[in-house]
Amino acid sequence: METTGSANVSVPCWVMFFRSRAPVLIPVRMSCLLSFKLSVFSTVLLLLCTRFVCCNNGRRVGDALDAEFSGFSVPLEHSFEVDDVAKFRVRGALVLKAGREPSVSLSQNQLSEEDRTKLKEVAAVDGLYRIRVPRVFLQADRQTERQMEGYLTAFVRACAMVESHLSDVIALHTDVSGYLIGVSIVTFPGACRGTEVEDEVDLEVFNTTLSIMAPVNAPGPETALFLERMEQELERKGKNPQEQKSFFAKYWYLILGGAIFLMATSSAQPPAGGDREQS
Amino acid sequence: MACCSFSVSSKAIKVNIYQSLVGQVDPKETPMRQQYVGKVRFAHFDMHVQSSKKVLVATEKNVFASLNTRTGEVYWRHVDKTGPEGNIDALLMHGQDAVLVVGNGRLLRSWDINIGGLNWEIVLDSGSFQSACFVGQQDSVKYVAVLKKSAVSLHYLSNGHQKWVENLPERYVIHRYQAVYSGGNGEVYTLGVVPHSHITIVAYSVEDGEIIKQISVDAPWLSNIQASCAVVGQGMLICADPATVSLYMLDLNVQSQMTQIPLQSLGLEVSPGFQPTVVSTQPNPARPPHSEFFVQLGPDHYQLLQLNNGQIVALRDFKPAMLVSFATTGEKTVAAVMAPKNKTVSYFEDTHSFLSRACSLNLFSAESGRRLLDTTLIFNMDPNGGKPEKLYVQAFLKKDDSVGYRVMVQTEDHTLTFIQQPGRVMWTREEALSDVVTMEMVDLPLTGTQAELEGEFGKKADGLLSMVLKRLSSQLILLQAWIAHLWKLFYDARKPRSQVKNDVTIENLSRDEFNLQKMMVMVTASGKLFGIDSKTGTILWRHYLDNIPSNAAFKLMVQRTTAHFPHPPQCTLLIKDKDTGLATLHVFNPIFGRKSHITPPALPQPILQSLLLPLMDQDYAKVLLLVDDQYKVSAFPSTKNVLQQLQEMASSIFFYLVDSSQGRLSGYRLRTDLSTEMIWEVIIPTEVQRIVSVKGKRPNEHVHSQGRVMGDRSVLYKYLNPNLLAVVTESTDLHQERSFVGILLIDGVTGRIIHEAVQRKARGPVHLVHSENWVVYEYWSTKSRRNEFSVLELYEGMELYNSTVFSSLDRPHPPQVLQQSYIFPSSISTLEATLTEKGITSRHLLVGLPSGAILSLPKMFLDPRRPEIVSEQSREENLIPYSPEMPIRTEWFINYNQTVSRVRGIYTAPSGLESTCLVVAYGLDIYQTRVYPSKQFDVLKDDYDYMLISSVLFALFFATMISKRLAEVKLLNRAWR
């Protein structure tokens, strides 16, 4: 962040006097408070080349009954390594239920003794705790069509995981047609304060809040309601006779007062001006 | 938190007082607008009046314009549709009429060149356009012939009506008619070719379109008539064949074989690998072309030839000659030849040498090839420009009946230079500016004295005494400058005000009191860079980068601002080939345009992403990180200091990549060894939707207030995530019932999807602005068939999670998202938000409309908290009641009558005054102005009554003095009593 034209070294004020400077306001600046420490990036050099992929979802109506409505399960994997090279292992199983309102549940194992110590070690070096889920297509009818190539990954700092005693919030995001597009994990509380977790028991069981989210429908312009309100207003005006009075009825006293005032002023003045005009 | 709502007004007062101490700024400035036409494709001088001052140009930007040859200003300009629909295929000029073929032969138009009015316009039959020419008879031009792929038609010049149309005889499928010619003898010839087989010539009668004769001649060497042939003299078709190094001649009037004339027999030689071309001239369409013609034998070699009784005679050899052109005035035809002035240095070998940059032009008599006396004209090429590409000659008869001339030279960098003898440049037009791709505004440097003062602190301290001496000397310099300034004031005061003009030159550039005048650094598609003074629009420097790929993407970054004297400011332009991904860097000084002596790193790998970090090296240059396709990161500058800083910061440097072809958004973290690791991934299936744009926030944006005060005096805190990305997707299904536009808000560090929404029954193009805690986008509603605006605002809620620091890694609560949509009664071309120094001033959206107006729309109208039913609290908050339609008020147009054609982008920059935001709109035109979204609250009005204020102050002062004295007397009296 730069303030324009300011010197880098503190300037004695008697020098300042000679220099014309832009007015510097010093409000409590939000941006000052934002620390750059945590995140920095710039805009993309986007290479927006459009390549249409020949799409063939292969959904057929006849196969609809094939789907088990009890849901299907996909593995939820996690990885935390001291050297930060991801090695994903199964953390639990996500049971996804497709349908109009998709739902999700999770059954997961406890952390083993070995994992607990490792997680604490990773937290000590400020490593990452990563999770991943395979890409799935929820609305597909057959198991083979559900699974897609690739994974969706997310991370949280391992120390946050430890300090929150494994309380995490995992959200799965789908797009309009039911493809899983992203996963996110946050812990609660999210901060790393460096507090030691003494009790090993705290790091045994995951306390996970899980949700699956589909995109919300963005609202369009609310014309119907607006028109309704306008009509009501008109009706209200129609009912109220006070507002239906004509212009003269409303302001007769002002007009009268003005007229009297005009008359008074014109009669008070001698007709000198008129004389001058004639001459 | 009530202080929040009052903070604006109290700041305003504070600033006001400050202003009154300093003095006044010029609050009214004249906005700067410059009109361009684009790269010239055709140009003709208006010849029908001897003293005419017009040149007519048709450009690749689909603009037809008339320029003043004395000043270079635009007399009038017609801007047609963009794209192939408005493409100008041909421009023919005769007398007062200019005939244009537009849109691949879709329209035929005739313009009156004096006033720029349309004489007539007709729609032509379908078929792709090949060629057009005037057809004359008995010395008067009456018709226009238009050759299409399968038909030829004749139109009256007076009203455009079709006289006749004839289908072309087609014997072969691959038959192509390419040229049409008329020599004024009542016949129209169409010349067609079956590639590598034969030429067909069909002659039509002008009167009724009847085929008079049809000739077919073997020409197995010919593939394109327009490229290698021309008609010379009394209907003699002359073609050049590079394979046999010879000219072929064919008399159109008599059916015969083609006569081959080896160039060697004329004593001529063709440069190896060069395709020779024939250039002829037909000044009057009612008469046959002249029998003199040029043959280009090499890149810088021309030969003037003459056809004399069926024999070709060599008249004169021109080598080196860069460009040649014929010109006719009255009955005299001359040839203008441009040659490098310093003949010893070859023009093509040494393009960077300043010596070889001067060219001389000479006129030669076309009949004899003799050089005309006193016709030398010197053209000094701009060392920062391109090579000359085209030559347009305006010849005229002087009083003594000799030929005088002026030339218009078009160079590679789309510049037009108009030169008069003996080399006076009358004007130049930088038509590259009609295609600005990206720009930045850079603060001007301090004046010399200010810089001197700054320099004192920039250097390292070396002893007490020297420091004192330095200080004294700089104080002396200041005193001197002040006296000089006073003297200038005194001197100027005697002159009438109109004469006091300060011309802006690169020498006297300096920052003004409120930093309102800045340097606009503009990057154009042609690869030419410009430095333009924002106040006057004067081009202060230009720099042409050759070897720019035609499909290059540009990204301009300011690495070091002017604030770090004595280090010069530094800009870096990243030029990336869109196909290969290979990139180069151009580092330059934005104030002087000079290339920096710092050698940028060579980038052998394709570049995926570039990011400018707020980290600085010891010379105050921001660090630029470049990520290549191996996900390796290289830093520029990459000094030890920088690398060390990077290592320390590595774990907190994140970046993201977007691969729209696979719908993949992925996040990476930097490692200490400058490699990267992927940490998150979001994949949007391309079967359903494709990513069309990803927008973050501007890094130099300041947000003054962290929250909004509600009607009940509680505070709603804004969700101010600087890492938030707005991703726009469009559905692949374009059916109007099923198409949608998707908006995703993703945290760029953690990859967390903050919000995901779809706008159903909507379609792009989507214009989006992302700032503070809001996103505004505009889309086309397919259901209601109208443009709609939608605004998203994000709030943390009534409590702030962590009020001191924002960290993407530590914000567990998802923000509240509010959204509202509005109908907008116009389509839009571009969208941008105003930006001010401290973010106190309320925001406006700047909307570029296709009509050429720029609308300054208060953000207040785009507020999802606008209530549907007005309540006491919403009134307290000053919320406007919701109405579905967004008004367009004419007083919101910031450019009044100064239309800006084809606005492509709007750039906003803060100025030194909090109330003022600088705006530059670019497209075909460039427009610069200032906007005051909250009025000029920090500037005193013009009619501010200093006298009244000071007299009241004095009066009060004396009144207190007197009353104090009186009170004392009274007290004393009472004490005595």
Side-chain angles (χ1 to χ4, degrees):
Chain A
M1 286 296 126
E2 275 137 351
T3 47
T4 46
S6 62
N8 310 312
V9 189
S10 62
V11 184
C13 62
W14 56 279
V15 181
M16 292 268 285
F17 184 75
F18 286 99
R19 299 166 56 212
S20 56
R21 306 224 331 195
V24 178
L25 315 177
I26 308 154
V28 188
R29 271 197 321 204
M30 182 60 203
S31 56
C32 275
L33 306 174
L34 302 178
S35 86
F36 293 108
K37 200 185 155 212
L38 284 167
S39 52
V40 166
F41 55 82
S42 74
T43 42
V44 219
L45 249 186
L46 250 189
L47 213 165
L48 282 176
C49 53
T50 46
R51 194 201 298 161
F52 288 96
V53 178
C54 182
C55 60
N56 180 11
N57 298 339
R59 228 195 299 173
R60 267 167 281 161
V61 191
D63 298 338
L65 288 174
D66 197 38
E68 320 116 75
F69 283 102
S70 54
F72 62 101
S73 101
V74 289
L76 170 70
E77 292 167 299
H78 63 174
S79 152
F80 42 95
E81 301 292 332
V82 181
D83 58 354
D84 244 0
V85 178
K87 277 185 212 132
F88 284 99
R89 284 159 299 148
V90 174
R91 169 176 156 179
L94 288 164
V95 180
L96 293 157
K97 274 184 195 156
R100 198 160 280 273
E101 280 180 14
S103 67
V104 64
S105 59
L106 174 67
S107 61
Q108 51 192 348
N109 314 326
Q110 291 190 354
L111 271 188
S112 66
E113 179 69 43
E114 193 189 334
D115 282 348
R116 284 199 297 260
T117 35
K118 196 158 124 199
L119 187 60
K120 281 175 97 175
E121 276 170 26
V122 175
V125 296
D126 197 14
L128 302 183
Y129 174 85
R130 302 150 188 263
I131 57 162
R132 74 172 186 191
V133 287
R135 289 178 65 197
V136 286
F137 180 37
L138 292 180
Q139 307 300 336
D141 306 320
R142 274 188 268 166
Q143 186 69 38
T144 47
E145 286 166 5
R146 282 181 186 142
Q147 295 275 352
M148 294 166 75
E149 215 180 300
Y151 289 91
L152 305 166
T153 48
F155 74 97
V156 70
R157 288 164 81 189
C159 54
M161 202 71 191
V162 171
E163 283 178 37
S164 65
H165 307 291
L166 303 185
S167 331
D168 54 355
V169 182
I170 296 176
L172 300 168
H173 295 267
T174 66
D175 72 351
V176 258
S177 49
Y179 286 98
L180 211 57
I181 60 163
V183 60
S184 71
I185 177 169
V186 287
T187 59
F188 198 82
C192 284
R193 294 203 169 74
T195 46
E196 277 288 310
V197 180
E198 296 294 338
D199 203 352
E200 286 283 310
V201 184
D202 284 342
L203 290 181
E204 224 163 57
V205 188
F206 284 104
N207 173 18
T208 306
T209 316
L210 195 63
S211 60
I212 184 158
M213 279 186 250
V216 296
N217 277 332
E222 285 275 359
T223 38
L225 229 124
F226 181 74
L227 288 176
E228 206 175 290
R229 215 184 64 212
M230 290 283 279
E231 263 167 36
Q232 278 176 359
E233 204 122 298
L234 274 179
E235 260 175 46
R236 202 162 50 84
K237 266 190 189 162
K239 274 181 199 158
N240 198 344
Q242 277 254 308
E243 291 178 21
Q244 276 200 320
K245 279 184 186 170
S246 70
F247 178 77
F248 282 104
K250 264 197 222 166
Y251 302 112
W252 63 270
Y253 47 91
L254 284 181
I255 294 162
L256 191 69
I260 289 171
F261 178 73
L262 275 177
M263 281 206 301
T265 46
S266 58
S267 62
Q269 263 182 10
D275 284 349
R276 215 180 295 142
E277 254 173 31
Q278 277 167 10
S279 63
Chain B
M1 253 343 266
C3 63
C4 239
S5 63
F6 294 117
S7 64
V8 171
S9 54
S10 67
K11 283 286 139 44
I13 292 162
K14 209 184 280 176
V15 176
N16 244 328
I17 294 164
Y18 181 82
Q19 289 293 311
S20 64
L21 291 174
V22 169
Q24 267 191 329
V25 229
D26 56 329
K28 299 277 173 291
E29 43 105 48
T30 42
M32 181 272 286
R33 179 178 69 158
Q34 286 172 344
Q35 291 189 312
Y36 293 95
V37 294
K39 186 189 180 187
V40 172
R41 184 179 286 164
F42 307 107
H44 285 288
F45 287 97
D46 174 17
M47 303 293 272
H48 86 281
V49 192
Q50 187 63 243
S51 59
S52 172
K53 292 188 289 189
K54 283 189 203 75
V55 57
L56 282 298
V57 291
T59 71
E60 299 195 343
K61 288 262 165 201
N62 305 349
V63 175
F64 178 52
S66 166
L67 306 178
N68 185 337
T69 55
R70 299 282 185 275
T71 60
E73 279 161 14
V74 176
Y75 273 125
W76 47 259
R77 184 179 75 164
H78 294 288
V79 182
D80 210 330
K81 289 174 188 153
T82 49
E85 241 184 307
N87 188 45
I88 298 171
D89 302 316
L91 166 65
L92 303 169
M93 278 235 329
H94 178 77
Q96 284 196 36
D97 301 324
V99 177
L100 263 75
V101 183
V102 178
N104 197 12
R106 194 172 51 88
L107 293 169
L108 188 67
R109 283 190 187 133
S110 166
W111 298 93
D112 183 303
I113 60 168
N114 286 329
I115 50 165
L118 185 66
N119 290 331
W120 48 261
E121 175 188 271
I122 57 149
V123 181
L124 295 173
D125 296 337
S126 62
S128 72
F129 172 77
Q130 298 295 330
S131 168
C133 79
F134 281 125
V135 177
Q137 249 181 326
Q138 286 117 30
D139 266 11
S140 67
V141 179
K142 281 185 184 161
Y143 314 105
V144 188
V146 179
L147 179 70
K148 297 259 201 148
K149 203 178 173 194
S150 56
V152 60
S153 57
L154 204 68
H155 302 265
Y156 290 98
L157 187 58
S158 52
N159 53 18
H161 291 307
Q162 185 177 293
K163 187 173 166 74
W164 50 259
V165 59
E166 291 295 326
N167 283 331
L168 295 164
E170 207 162 334
R171 255 179 279 165
Y172 307 94
V173 184
I174 45 169
H175 212 137
R176 273 185 286 173
Y177 286 90
Q178 290 176 324
V180 59
Y181 155 78
S182 166
N185 55 356
E187 289 171 13
V188 178
Y189 295 90
T190 60
L191 313 176
V193 64
V194 176
H196 308 294
S197 173
H198 59 266
I199 298 181
T200 9
I201 291 140
V202 187
Y204 295 90
S205 157
V206 169
E207 288 312 315
D208 49 6
E210 200 182 326
I211 294 179
I212 296 173
K213 60 180 173 251
Q214 215 171 330
I215 313 171
S216 183
V217 182
D218 281 346
W221 41 270
L222 188 69
S223 63
N224 190 339
I225 292 186
Q226 273 171 329
S228 45
C229 299
V231 181
V232 175
Q234 304 282 346
M236 188 71 86
L237 183 72
I238 294 188
C239 298
D241 173 28
T244 56
V245 198
S246 50
L247 294 178
Y248 284 90
M249 252 185 354
L250 174 69
D251 197 334
L252 298 178
N253 303 315
V254 264
Q255 179 165 13
S256 61
Q257 289 296 311
M258 293 201 98
T259 345
Q260 185 184 7
I261 305 154
L263 281 170
Q264 225 157 12
S265 69
L266 299 166
L268 304 176
E269 235 175 85
V270 178
S271 306
F274 187 80
Q275 162 102 41
T277 49
V278 182
V279 184
S280 69
T281 176
Q282 185 180 14
N284 187 347
R287 289 191 206 159
H290 282 282
S291 53
E292 290 80 23
F293 61 100
F294 275 109
V295 174
Q296 191 179 7
L297 301 165
D300 59 345
H301 187 191
Y302 287 87
Q303 174 73 39
L304 183 64
L305 299 168
Q306 189 179 39
L307 184 73
N308 199 349
N309 296 327
Q311 294 294 315
I312 291 179
V313 187
L315 284 183
R316 194 174 176 127
D317 185 50
F318 297 100
K319 187 179 182 178
M322 290 135 68
L323 295 168
V324 295
S325 175
F326 282 111
T328 305
T329 174
E331 291 299 307
K332 286 185 179 170
T333 298
V334 289
V337 178
M338 181 191 262
K341 200 183 171 202
N342 192 345
K343 286 193 180 177
T344 52
V345 182
S346 171
Y347 159 69
F348 283 94
E349 271 169 25
D350 191 9
T351 45
H352 294 288
S353 161
F354 286 77
L355 272 175
S356 63
R357 284 291 181 152
C359 294
S360 69
L361 276 139
N362 277 298
L363 282 194
F364 296 86
S365 158
E367 280 86 16
S368 60
R370 270 202 306 274
R371 198 171 81 84
L372 300 177
L373 289 175
D374 298 329
T375 56
T376 309
L377 188 153
I378 308 294
F379 169 52
N380 287 311
M381 278 196 276
D382 184 357
N384 296 318
K387 288 180 237 162
E389 224 175 31
K390 272 186 193 168
L391 187 65
Y392 305 99
V393 180
Q394 182 190 28
F396 53 88
L397 284 176
K398 289 185 192 162
K399 277 183 188 137
D400 59 351
D401 220 29
S402 64
V403 181
Y405 73 121
R406 302 183 192 96
V407 288
M408 186 165 81
V409 184
Q410 186 182 355
T411 43
E412 275 178 337
D413 51 349
H414 306 183
T415 308
L416 291 179
T417 313
F418 195 80
I419 314 162
Q420 201 179 25
Q421 266 180 291
R424 194 165 74 86
V425 174
M426 294 180 73
W427 48 265
T428 52
R429 287 184 67 87
E430 295 288 356
E431 291 303 337
L433 282 171
S434 67
D435 207 351
V436 175
V437 183
T438 176
M439 66 167 291
E440 282 289 340
M441 269 187 158
V442 183
D443 293 347
L444 291 177
L446 303 164
T447 54
T449 47
Q450 286 168 326
E452 179 71 29
L453 204 66
E454 295 273 353
E456 187 190 333
F457 299 103
K459 285 163 202 152
K460 301 243 166 18
D462 45 4
L464 190 68
L465 193 69
S466 66
M467 282 292 275
V468 170
L469 282 178
K470 241 183 228 168
R471 165 60 50 84
L472 283 178
S473 74
S474 52
Q475 291 298 316
L476 262 177
I477 289 166
L478 274 182
L479 189 70
Q480 197 184 339
W482 186 59
I483 292 170
H485 175 72
L486 279 186
W487 173 248
K488 191 172 181 290
L489 270 186
F490 174 71
Y491 191 76
D492 282 348
R494 295 187 307 177
K495 281 194 213 165
R497 187 154 260 224
S498 57
Q499 278 183 19
V500 184
K501 240 209 261 170
N502 1 358
D503 278 331
V504 186
T505 59
I506 210 143
E507 282 78 32
N508 64 15
L509 266 187
S510 69
R511 198 179 302 173
D512 58 324
E513 279 168 326
F514 301 110
N515 206 358
L516 292 166
Q517 190 180 2
K518 292 197 182 198
M519 178 69 86
M520 305 196 288
V521 180
M522 293 188 145
V523 180
T524 63
S526 66
K528 196 167 190 186
L529 313 182
F530 292 91
I532 301 173
D533 170 44
S534 71
K535 197 174 183 180
T536 57
T538 323
I539 296 171
L540 295 171
W541 58 263
R542 57 205 94 194
H543 188 92
Y544 179 61
L545 303 169
D546 29 18
N547 308 324
I548 296 285
S550 58
N551 57 349
F554 297 92
K555 189 176 173 185
L556 182 63
M557 288 154 287
V558 184
Q559 277 200 294
R560 182 163 52 220
T561 60
T562 19
H564 305 287
F565 191 83
H567 301 290
Q570 182 179 322
C571 273
T572 302
L573 180 68
L574 180 76
I575 306 147
K576 180 173 154 179
D577 191 313
K578 273 186 190 162
D579 294 335
T580 61
L582 288 173
T584 49
L585 290 176
H586 174 69
V587 187
F588 62 100
N589 179 333
I591 303 298
F592 302 108
R594 280 193 293 263
K595 196 174 172 183
S596 169
H597 59 272
I598 303 164
T599 39
L603 308 167
Q605 296 285 340
I607 296 297
L608 294 180
Q609 168 76 293
S610 69
L611 47 155
L612 196 66
L613 299 181
L615 286 183
M616 287 190 196
D617 71 348
Q618 70 272 31
D619 291 340
Y620 308 101
K622 283 184 191 164
V623 178
L624 175 69
L625 289 190
L626 297 160
V627 186
D628 64 20
D629 64 343
Q630 306 295 314
Y631 304 104
K632 279 289 229 179
V633 172
S634 52
F636 169 69
S638 56
T639 54
K640 218 177 187 178
N641 175 302
V642 169
L643 293 177
Q644 196 187 340
Q645 283 191 61
L646 278 179
Q647 266 179 15
E648 282 165 18
M649 300 278 292
S651 63
S652 57
I653 294 174
F654 298 86
F655 62 92
Y656 67 94
L657 298 177
V658 182
D659 181 353
S660 62
S661 64
Q662 292 177 36
R664 185 188 303 269
L665 289 143
S666 41
Y668 291 81
R669 184 164 81 153
L670 196 68
R671 285 189 175 157
T672 44
D673 59 345
L674 292 191
S675 65
T676 58
E677 56 176 339
M678 192 171 84
I679 49 174
W680 60 264
E681 200 170 18
V682 166
I683 302 168
I684 299 164
T686 45
E687 292 92 329
V688 185
Q689 49 192 334
R690 61 194 169 85
I691 301 171
V692 288
S693 81
V694 177
K695 264 203 173 169
K697 289 177 190 172
R698 288 177 66 160
N700 58 345
E701 180 182 87
H702 291 200
V703 182
H704 175 68
S705 168
Q706 287 203 43
R708 276 177 70 163
V709 181
M710 315 276 285
D712 58 359
R713 299 283 172 208
S714 60
V715 176
L716 186 61
Y717 286 99
K718 295 174 183 170
Y719 178 76
L720 296 167
N721 184 349
N723 312 319
L724 197 66
L725 304 175
V727 180
V728 181
T729 62
E730 278 178 38
S731 61
T732 45
D733 189 351
L734 291 175
H735 187 271
Q736 61 166 19
E737 285 295 314
R738 293 187 296 269
S739 69
F740 64 87
V741 167
I743 299 287
L744 264 97
L745 301 179
I746 295 183
D747 188 301
V749 170
T750 61
R752 185 180 177 195
I753 297 175
I754 302 288
H755 182 68
E756 193 189 354
V758 281
Q759 197 83 48
R760 301 224 179 235
K761 290 171 188 162
R763 208 173 32 165
V766 178
H767 298 274
L768 179 124
V769 173
H770 184 190
S771 179
E772 284 189 35
N773 65 326
W774 48 265
V775 175
V776 170
Y777 60 92
E778 188 261 7
Y779 57 90
W780 171 257
S781 164
T782 51
K783 185 190 167 200
S784 315
R785 296 174 192 212
R786 62 194 176 199
N787 290 285
E788 290 176 5
F789 258 115
S790 196
V791 57
L792 280 160
E793 282 194 3
L794 294 102
Y795 291 98
E796 292 222 353
M798 293 305 183
E799 273 172 47
L800 215 51
Y801 179 78
N802 180 348
S803 58
T804 49
V805 179
F806 186 95
S807 162
S808 285
L809 296 168
D810 179 19
R811 282 277 137 151
H813 301 293
Q816 302 169 9
V817 182
L818 305 174
Q819 187 167 16
Q820 215 169 50
S821 299
Y822 315 89
I823 302 161
F824 192 67
S826 165
S827 67
I828 73 170
S829 326
T830 184
L831 194 64
E832 188 54 78
T834 59
L835 191 69
T836 52
E837 181 89 359
K838 306 285 172 202
I840 299 168
T841 310
S842 57
R843 309 291 294 269
H844 276 203
L845 288 172
L846 298 169
V847 189
L849 302 179
S851 64
I854 297 165
L855 188 73
S856 180
L857 185 67
K859 169 73 180 57
M860 224 188 351
F861 281 86
L862 288 154
D863 183 351
R865 303 192 60 251
R866 281 175 70 176
E868 260 155 28
I869 293 143
V870 187
S871 67
E872 195 59 47
Q873 294 206 343
S874 70
R875 210 170 285 145
E876 180 83 21
E877 250 187 277
N878 274 332
L879 293 175
I880 307 161
Y882 179 78
S883 76
E885 198 184 20
M886 184 78 58
I888 292 186
R889 295 194 188 145
T890 41
E891 69 264 25
W892 286 347
F893 291 132
I894 59 168
N895 53 344
Y896 312 109
N897 59 351
Q898 306 264 67
T899 317
V900 190
S901 270
R902 290 194 199 145
V903 191
R904 260 233 319 266
I906 294 175
Y907 178 87
T908 52
S911 73
L913 282 173
E914 171 54 31
S915 66
T916 309
C917 169
L918 305 176
V919 177
V920 184
Y922 54 86
L924 188 62
D925 300 343
I926 291 173
Y927 180 77
Q928 197 277 132
T929 191
R930 304 172 195 166
V931 289
Y932 316 97
S934 300
K935 305 273 157 47
Q936 288 180 291
F937 62 80
D938 51 1
V939 175
L940 295 180
K941 291 272 173 340
D942 267 350
D943 53 355
Y944 186 78
D945 203 339
Y946 294 94
M947 280 305 286
L948 185 74
I949 292 286
S950 44
S951 55
V952 165
L953 273 177
F954 276 115
L956 281 175
F957 178 71
F958 285 119
T960 27
M961 293 287 280
I962 292 162
S963 55
K964 202 176 165 190
R965 175 82 190 131
L966 286 177
E968 270 172 19
V969 169
K970 201 174 179 185
L971 270 177
L972 192 68
N973 284 342
R974 195 184 292 164
W976 273 109
R977 217 173 272 162

